[in-house]
Amino acid sequence: MRTYYLRSFGCQMNAHDAERIRALLEAEGLERAEAPDVADVLVYNTCTVRKSADERLAGHLGTAARLKREDPGRIVLVTGCLPQAEQDDFFRRFPFVDGALGPQNLQRLPELLKAAVEPAPPAGRPPGYFADGPAMSGDLAARRERPYQAWVQIMSGCTNFCTYCIVPQVRGPERSRALQTVVAEVRGLVADGVREVTLLGQNVNAYGLDLRRGGRATAPDFPALLRALDAVPGLARVRFMTSHPKDLSPDLIQALAELPSVCEHVHLPAQSGSDRILAAMERGYTASAYLERVRALRAAVPDVSVTTDLIAGFPSESDDDFAETLELVRAARFDAAFTFVFSPRRGTAAAELPGQIAAAVKRERVERLIALTQELALYSRRRWVGRRAEVLLEGPSRDGKSLRGRTRQNVTANVSGATEPGAIVEIEVTGATSTTLRGRA
Ligand code: SAM
Ligand code: SF4
Ligand code: F3S
């Protein structure tokens, strides 16, 4: 086995896991290949948050099955959230897969690879091997993909059990990493040239609360972590995601307003604007409590960008409930939004609820959400035209003619008159679309 091909799907947590998978495979002596047909080992790091994620994966696994038929010596491994969710019938559905493991057991990847290359016992190997064991700590090294930016996992898992969501089942309970461990990792990254870190967790505002419940009464909370990271010399920017509205505390808003390195962007998934639907989702807030927090945030943090996730067509959502979501979107003036059609996931409470909404109705509602949120995004970007913004230059723009970076508000900007990736420059914004700014350094 000499080369591997890795394809990753899903959220940033999974993208960061993919960097760890690369580190593990490269420590085994494998080299990266850019296409599946030239690789000895194929690894698919999967997401199963919605049916559309499963469907996207299906095409890639079809290719893997064909390549395996052509060369049975090739090894196909599947990692991430899908095998964890479907452990019971995963190998029945995908008999050509040699081994699988879930997101909490990435450290067992070398073992999985070894089991896959060993000759089958006389009785024949069982259809596939699922590596399972105690959850990993989140301390695995990553093979970073971007020179100036890094993801830093501060928590794993989720214990919120929103009724539509599969994540708590596949990622296990909420666990925070110790503050010293996180700070040490960030210092190491800065020494390696990183200027911006994005702290990752399903609900970063709950950072440290599990440690407190576990008996460490004085364990630092999320604002304390932000303060500790703001003090790391050489670190220019700190981002974080995702924030849960129910845990957005005044202290966190204060930290955002005060700490120079903490970027003015909060991803705050609202999901719905109807109190009845929010209760059925078990989100733990009302629409007015949500809007109150957005108002407090905008009042305390000038130019803060507030982005969100929205679900259309949750079971029993009426036209009136949906109208309340549109109303919340207008009142919050979101700077950007991810919009999803509700997708029933096996084993979640919402999949069993009465009043499932017809596909055409869900589609029609999500289209209306897309139109409204794009209009707001364009308005949000246009407000920057004629003003100055700070951009961290990440690399060449798509057309290769200028450099591309992101503002503190997490908006992509194409910048002319700058030449040095990794630099932080001030730009004068000259143009805007709903997704991108254009400007001169
Ligand atoms: N932990 C984050 C939070 O609480 O906001 C989000 C995690 S989830 C990976 C990202 C988004 O996917 C959610 O905010 C939600 O909008 C969406 N989502 C999750 N389950 C879904 C489902 N069954 N159908 C449609 N959208 C879903
Ligand atoms: Fe899913 Fe809710 Fe946890 Fe987010 S907070 S990962 S939506 S259960
Ligand atoms: Fe998908 Fe797993 Fe993330 S289900 S959204 S990759 S936590």
Coordinates of all heavy atoms in Angstrom, one line a residue, residues 145-209:
E145 N -4.2 21.8 6.3 CA -4.4 22.1 4.9 C -4.1 23.5 4.5 O -3.8 23.8 3.4 CB -5.8 21.7 4.5 CG -6.1 20.2 4.5 CD -5.4 19.5 3.4 OE1 -5.8 19.6 2.2 OE2 -4.4 18.8 3.7
R146 N -4.2 24.4 5.5 CA -4.1 25.9 5.2 C -3.0 26.5 6.0 O -3.0 26.3 7.2 CB -5.5 26.6 5.5 CG -6.7 25.9 4.8 CD -8.0 26.4 5.3 NE -8.1 26.2 6.8 CZ -9.1 26.8 7.5 NH1 -10.0 27.5 7.0 NH2 -9.1 26.6 8.8
P147 N -2.1 27.2 5.4 CA -0.9 27.7 6.1 C -1.2 28.7 7.2 O -0.6 28.7 8.3 CB 0.0 28.3 5.0 CG -0.9 28.5 3.8 CD -2.0 27.5 3.9
Y148 N -2.2 29.6 7.0 CA -2.3 30.7 8.0 C -3.5 30.5 8.9 O -3.8 31.4 9.8 CB -2.5 32.0 7.2 CG -1.4 32.2 6.2 CD1 -1.8 32.1 4.8 CD2 -0.1 32.3 6.5 CE1 -0.8 32.1 3.8 CE2 0.9 32.3 5.5 CZ 0.5 32.3 4.2 OH 1.4 32.3 3.2
Q149 N -4.3 29.5 8.7 CA -5.5 29.3 9.5 C -5.5 27.9 10.0 O -5.0 27.0 9.4 CB -6.7 29.5 8.6 CG -6.8 30.9 8.0 CD -7.7 30.9 6.8 OE1 -7.4 30.3 5.8 NE2 -8.7 31.7 6.9
A150 N -6.2 27.7 11.1 CA -6.3 26.4 11.7 C -7.6 26.2 12.4 O -8.1 27.2 13.0 CB -5.1 26.1 12.6
W151 N -8.1 25.0 12.4 CA -9.2 24.6 13.2 C -8.7 24.1 14.5 O -7.7 23.4 14.5 CB -10.1 23.5 12.5 CG -10.9 24.0 11.4 CD1 -11.8 25.0 11.5 CD2 -10.9 23.6 10.1 NE1 -12.4 25.2 10.3 CE2 -11.9 24.3 9.4 CE3 -10.2 22.6 9.4 CZ2 -12.1 24.2 8.0 CZ3 -10.5 22.4 8.1 CH2 -11.4 23.2 7.4
V152 N -9.3 24.4 15.6 CA -9.0 23.9 16.9 C -10.2 23.4 17.6 O -11.2 24.1 17.8 CB -8.3 25.0 17.8 CG1 -8.0 24.4 19.2 CG2 -7.0 25.5 17.1
Q153 N -10.2 22.1 17.8 CA -11.4 21.5 18.4 C -11.4 21.8 19.9 O -10.4 21.4 20.6 CB -11.4 20.0 18.2 CG -12.7 19.4 18.7 CD -12.8 17.9 18.4 OE1 -12.1 17.4 17.5 NE2 -13.6 17.2 19.1
I154 N -12.4 22.5 20.4 CA -12.4 22.7 21.9 C -13.3 21.8 22.6 O -13.2 21.6 23.8 CB -12.7 24.2 22.2 CG1 -14.1 24.6 21.8 CG2 -11.6 25.1 21.6 CD1 -14.5 26.0 22.4
M155 N -14.3 21.2 21.9 CA -15.2 20.3 22.5 C -15.5 19.2 21.5 O -15.3 19.4 20.3 CB -16.5 21.0 22.8 CG -16.4 22.3 23.5 SD -18.0 23.1 23.6 CE -18.8 22.0 24.8
S156 N -16.0 18.1 22.0 CA -16.5 17.1 21.1 C -17.9 16.8 21.5 O -18.3 17.1 22.6 CB -15.7 15.8 21.1 OG -15.6 15.3 22.4
G157 N -18.7 16.2 20.6 CA -20.0 15.7 20.9 C -21.0 16.8 21.2 O -20.8 18.0 21.0
C158 N -22.2 16.4 21.5 CA -23.3 17.3 21.8 C -24.3 16.6 22.7 O -24.6 15.4 22.5 CB -24.0 17.8 20.6 SG -25.4 18.9 20.9
T159 N -24.9 17.3 23.7 CA -25.8 16.6 24.6 C -27.2 17.4 24.5 O -28.0 17.2 25.4 CB -25.3 16.6 26.0 OG1 -23.9 16.2 26.0 CG2 -26.0 15.6 26.9
N160 N -27.4 18.1 23.5 CA -28.6 18.9 23.4 C -29.8 18.1 22.9 O -31.0 18.4 23.3 CB -28.4 20.2 22.6 CG -27.7 21.2 23.4 OD1 -28.0 21.5 24.5 ND2 -26.7 21.8 22.7
F161 N -29.6 17.2 22.1 CA -30.7 16.4 21.5 C -31.8 17.2 21.0 O -33.0 17.0 21.3 CB -31.2 15.3 22.6 CG -30.2 14.3 22.8 CD1 -29.3 14.3 23.9 CD2 -30.1 13.2 22.0 CE1 -28.4 13.3 24.2 CE2 -29.1 12.2 22.2 CZ -28.3 12.3 23.3
C162 N -31.5 18.2 20.1 CA -32.6 18.8 19.4 C -33.3 17.7 18.7 O -32.7 16.8 18.1 CB -32.0 19.8 18.4 SG -31.0 21.0 19.2
T163 N -34.7 17.7 18.6 CA -35.4 16.5 18.2 C -35.2 16.1 16.8 O -35.4 14.9 16.4 CB -36.9 16.7 18.5 OG1 -37.3 17.9 17.8 CG2 -37.2 16.9 20.0
Y164 N -34.7 17.0 15.9 CA -34.4 16.6 14.5 C -33.0 16.0 14.3 O -32.8 15.6 13.2 CB -34.6 17.9 13.6 CG -33.8 19.1 14.1 CD1 -32.5 19.2 13.8 CD2 -34.4 20.0 14.9 CE1 -31.8 20.2 14.3 CE2 -33.7 21.1 15.4 CZ -32.4 21.2 15.1 OH -31.6 22.2 15.6
C165 N -32.1 16.1 15.2 CA -30.7 16.0 14.9 C -30.1 14.7 15.3 O -30.2 14.2 16.4 CB -30.0 17.2 15.6 SG -28.3 17.3 15.2
I166 N -29.3 14.2 14.4 CA -28.6 12.9 14.6 C -27.2 13.1 15.3 O -26.7 12.1 15.8 CB -28.4 12.3 13.2 CG1 -27.9 10.8 13.2 CG2 -27.4 13.0 12.3 CD1 -29.0 9.8 13.4
V167 N -26.7 14.3 15.3 CA -25.3 14.5 15.8 C -25.1 14.0 17.2 O -24.0 13.3 17.4 CB -25.0 16.0 15.7 CG1 -23.6 16.3 16.4 CG2 -24.9 16.4 14.2
P168 N -25.9 14.2 18.2 CA -25.6 13.6 19.5 C -25.4 12.1 19.5 O -24.6 11.6 20.2 CB -26.9 14.0 20.4 CG -27.4 15.2 19.7 CD -27.2 15.0 18.2
Q169 N -26.2 11.4 18.6 CA -26.0 10.0 18.6 C -24.7 9.6 18.0 O -24.1 8.5 18.3 CB -27.1 9.4 17.7 CG -28.5 9.4 18.3 CD -29.5 8.9 17.3 OE1 -29.4 8.0 16.6 NE2 -30.6 9.7 17.2
V170 N -24.2 10.3 17.0 CA -23.0 9.9 16.3 C -21.7 10.4 16.9 O -20.7 9.9 16.8 CB -23.1 10.2 14.8 CG1 -24.1 9.3 14.1 CG2 -23.3 11.6 14.5
R171 N -21.9 11.6 17.6 CA -20.6 12.2 18.1 C -20.5 12.1 19.6 O -19.6 12.6 20.2 CB -20.6 13.7 17.7 CG -20.5 13.9 16.2 CD -19.2 14.5 15.9 NE -18.9 14.4 14.4 CZ -17.7 14.6 13.9 NH1 -16.7 14.9 14.6 NH2 -17.6 14.5 12.6
G172 N -21.5 11.4 20.3 CA -21.4 11.2 21.7 C -21.7 12.5 22.5 O -22.1 13.5 22.0
P173 N -21.6 12.3 23.9 CA -21.9 13.5 24.8 C -20.9 14.6 24.7 O -19.7 14.4 24.2 CB -21.8 12.8 26.2 CG -20.9 11.6 26.0 CD -21.1 11.2 24.6
E174 N -21.3 15.8 25.1 CA -20.5 17.0 25.1 C -19.3 16.8 26.0 O -19.5 16.5 27.2 CB -21.4 18.1 25.7 CG -21.1 19.5 25.1 CD -22.4 20.3 25.3 OE1 -22.7 20.7 26.4 OE2 -23.1 20.5 24.3
R175 N -18.1 17.0 25.5 CA -16.9 16.9 26.3 C -16.0 18.1 26.0 O -15.7 18.3 24.8 CB -16.1 15.6 26.1 CG -16.7 14.4 26.9 CD -15.9 13.2 26.6 NE -15.8 13.0 25.1 CZ -16.6 12.1 24.5 NH1 -17.4 11.3 25.1 NH2 -16.4 12.0 23.2
S176 N -15.5 18.8 26.9 CA -14.6 19.9 26.7 C -13.1 19.5 26.9 O -12.8 18.7 27.8 CB -14.8 21.1 27.7 OG -16.2 21.5 27.6
R177 N -12.2 20.1 26.1 CA -10.8 19.8 26.3 C -10.3 20.9 27.4 O -10.9 22.0 27.4 CB -10.0 20.0 25.0 CG -10.3 18.9 24.0 CD -9.7 19.2 22.7 NE -8.3 19.0 22.7 CZ -7.4 19.6 21.9 NH1 -7.8 20.4 21.0 NH2 -6.1 19.3 21.9
A178 N -9.3 20.5 28.1 CA -8.8 21.5 29.2 C -8.3 22.7 28.5 O -7.7 22.7 27.4 CB -7.7 20.8 30.0
L179 N -8.5 23.9 29.2 CA -8.0 25.2 28.7 C -6.5 25.2 28.4 O -6.1 25.6 27.3 CB -8.4 26.2 29.7 CG -8.0 27.7 29.3 CD1 -9.1 28.6 29.6 CD2 -6.7 28.1 30.0
Q180 N -5.7 24.6 29.3 CA -4.3 24.6 29.0 C -3.9 23.8 27.8 O -3.0 24.2 27.0 CB -3.5 23.9 30.2 CG -3.5 24.7 31.5 CD -4.8 24.6 32.3 OE1 -5.7 23.9 31.8 NE2 -5.0 25.4 33.3
T181 N -4.6 22.7 27.5 CA -4.4 21.9 26.3 C -4.7 22.7 25.1 O -3.9 22.7 24.1 CB -5.3 20.7 26.3 OG1 -5.2 20.1 27.6 CG2 -4.8 19.7 25.3
V182 N -5.8 23.5 25.1 CA -6.2 24.3 23.9 C -5.2 25.4 23.7 O -4.7 25.6 22.6 CB -7.6 24.8 24.1 CG1 -8.0 25.8 23.0 CG2 -8.7 23.7 24.2
V183 N -4.8 26.1 24.8 CA -3.9 27.2 24.7 C -2.6 26.7 24.1 O -2.0 27.3 23.2 CB -3.8 28.0 26.0 CG1 -2.6 29.0 25.9 CG2 -5.1 28.6 26.4
A184 N -2.1 25.6 24.6 CA -0.8 25.0 24.2 C -0.9 24.7 22.7 O 0.1 25.0 21.9 CB -0.4 23.8 25.0
E185 N -2.0 24.1 22.3 CA -2.1 23.8 20.8 C -2.1 25.1 20.0 O -1.4 25.1 19.0 CB -3.5 23.0 20.6 CG -3.6 22.6 19.1 CD -4.8 21.7 18.9 OE1 -5.1 20.9 19.8 OE2 -5.5 21.8 17.8
V186 N -2.8 26.1 20.5 CA -2.8 27.4 19.7 C -1.4 28.0 19.7 O -1.0 28.5 18.6 CB -3.9 28.3 20.3 CG1 -3.8 29.7 19.7 CG2 -5.3 27.7 20.1
R187 N -0.7 28.0 20.8 CA 0.7 28.5 20.8 C 1.5 27.8 19.7 O 2.3 28.4 19.0 CB 1.3 28.4 22.1 CG 0.9 29.4 23.1 CD 1.6 29.1 24.5 NE 1.0 29.9 25.5 CZ 1.3 31.2 25.8 NH1 2.2 31.8 25.0 NH2 0.7 31.9 26.7
G188 N 1.4 26.5 19.7 CA 2.2 25.7 18.7 C 1.8 26.1 17.3 O 2.7 26.2 16.4
L189 N 0.5 26.3 17.0 CA 0.1 26.7 15.7 C 0.6 28.1 15.3 O 1.1 28.3 14.2 CB -1.5 26.7 15.6 CG -2.1 25.3 15.7 CD1 -3.6 25.5 16.0 CD2 -1.9 24.6 14.4
V190 N 0.6 29.0 16.2 CA 1.1 30.3 16.0 C 2.6 30.2 15.6 O 3.1 30.9 14.7 CB 0.8 31.3 17.2 CG1 1.6 32.6 17.0 CG2 -0.7 31.5 17.3
A191 N 3.3 29.4 16.4 CA 4.8 29.2 16.1 C 5.0 28.7 14.7 O 6.0 28.9 14.1 CB 5.4 28.3 17.2
D192 N 4.0 28.0 14.2 CA 4.1 27.4 12.9 C 3.5 28.3 11.8 O 3.3 27.9 10.7 CB 3.3 26.0 12.9 CG 3.7 25.1 11.8 OD1 4.8 25.2 11.4 OD2 2.8 24.4 11.3
G193 N 3.2 29.5 12.1 CA 2.8 30.5 11.1 C 1.3 30.8 11.0 O 0.9 31.6 10.2
V194 N 0.5 30.2 11.9 CA -0.9 30.4 11.9 C -1.3 31.8 12.4 O -0.7 32.2 13.5 CB -1.7 29.3 12.6 CG1 -3.1 29.6 12.9 CG2 -1.6 28.0 11.9
R195 N -2.2 32.5 11.8 CA -2.6 33.8 12.2 C -4.0 33.8 12.7 O -4.4 34.7 13.4 CB -2.4 34.8 11.1 CG -1.0 34.8 10.5 CD -0.6 36.1 10.0 NE -0.5 37.1 11.1 CZ -0.3 38.4 10.9 NH1 -0.4 38.9 9.7 NH2 -0.3 39.2 12.0
E196 N -4.8 32.8 12.3 CA -6.2 32.8 12.6 C -6.6 31.4 13.0 O -6.4 30.5 12.3 CB -7.1 33.2 11.4 CG -8.5 33.1 11.6 CD -9.3 33.5 10.3 OE1 -9.2 34.6 9.8 OE2 -9.9 32.5 9.7
V197 N -7.3 31.3 14.2 CA -7.8 30.0 14.6 C -9.3 30.0 14.6 O -9.9 31.1 15.0 CB -7.3 29.5 15.9 CG1 -5.8 29.2 15.9 CG2 -7.6 30.4 17.1
T198 N -10.0 28.9 14.3 CA -11.4 28.8 14.4 C -11.7 27.7 15.4 O -11.3 26.5 15.2 CB -12.1 28.4 13.1 OG1 -11.8 29.5 12.1 CG2 -13.6 28.4 13.2
L199 N -12.3 28.1 16.6 CA -12.6 27.1 17.6 C -13.8 26.3 17.3 O -14.8 26.9 16.9 CB -12.7 27.8 18.9 CG -11.7 28.9 19.3 CD1 -12.0 29.6 20.6 CD2 -10.3 28.2 19.4
L200 N -13.7 25.0 17.3 CA -14.9 24.2 16.9 C -15.5 23.5 18.0 O -14.9 22.9 18.9 CB -14.4 23.1 15.9 CG -13.8 23.6 14.5 CD1 -13.4 22.4 13.7 CD2 -14.9 24.5 13.8
G201 N -16.9 23.5 18.0 CA -17.7 22.7 18.9 C -19.1 22.8 18.4 O -19.4 23.7 17.7
Q202 N -20.0 21.8 18.7 CA -21.4 21.9 18.3 C -22.1 23.1 19.1 O -23.0 23.6 18.6 CB -22.1 20.6 18.5 CG -21.6 19.5 17.7 CD -21.8 19.7 16.2 OE1 -22.5 20.6 15.8 NE2 -21.1 18.9 15.4
N203 N -21.6 23.4 20.3 CA -22.2 24.4 21.1 C -21.1 25.0 21.9 O -20.9 24.7 23.1 CB -23.3 23.8 21.9 CG -23.9 24.8 22.9 OD1 -23.6 26.0 22.8 ND2 -24.7 24.3 23.8
V204 N -20.3 25.9 21.3 CA -19.1 26.4 22.0 C -19.4 27.2 23.2 O -18.6 27.2 24.1 CB -18.1 27.2 21.1 CG1 -17.5 26.4 20.0 CG2 -18.9 28.4 20.4
N205 N -20.6 27.8 23.3 CA -20.9 28.6 24.5 C -21.0 27.7 25.7 O -21.1 28.2 26.8 CB -22.1 29.5 24.4 CG -22.6 29.8 23.1 OD1 -23.8 29.6 22.7 ND2 -21.7 30.3 22.3
A206 N -21.2 26.4 25.5 CA -21.3 25.5 26.7 C -19.9 25.0 27.1 O -19.8 24.1 28.0 CB -22.2 24.3 26.3
Y207 N -18.8 25.5 26.5 CA -17.5 25.1 26.8 C -17.2 25.1 28.3 O -17.6 26.1 29.0 CB -16.4 26.0 26.1 CG -15.0 25.6 26.5 CD1 -14.4 24.5 26.0 CD2 -14.4 26.4 27.5 CE1 -13.1 24.2 26.4 CE2 -13.1 26.0 28.0 CZ -12.5 24.9 27.4 OH -11.2 24.6 27.8
G208 N -16.7 24.1 28.9 CA -16.3 24.0 30.3 C -17.4 23.6 31.2 O -17.2 23.1 32.3
L209 N -18.7 23.7 30.8 CA -19.8 23.4 31.7 C -19.8 21.9 32.1 O -20.1 21.5 33.2 CB -21.2 23.8 31.1 CG -21.3 25.2 30.7 CD1 -22.7 25.6 30.2 CD2 -20.8 26.2 31.8

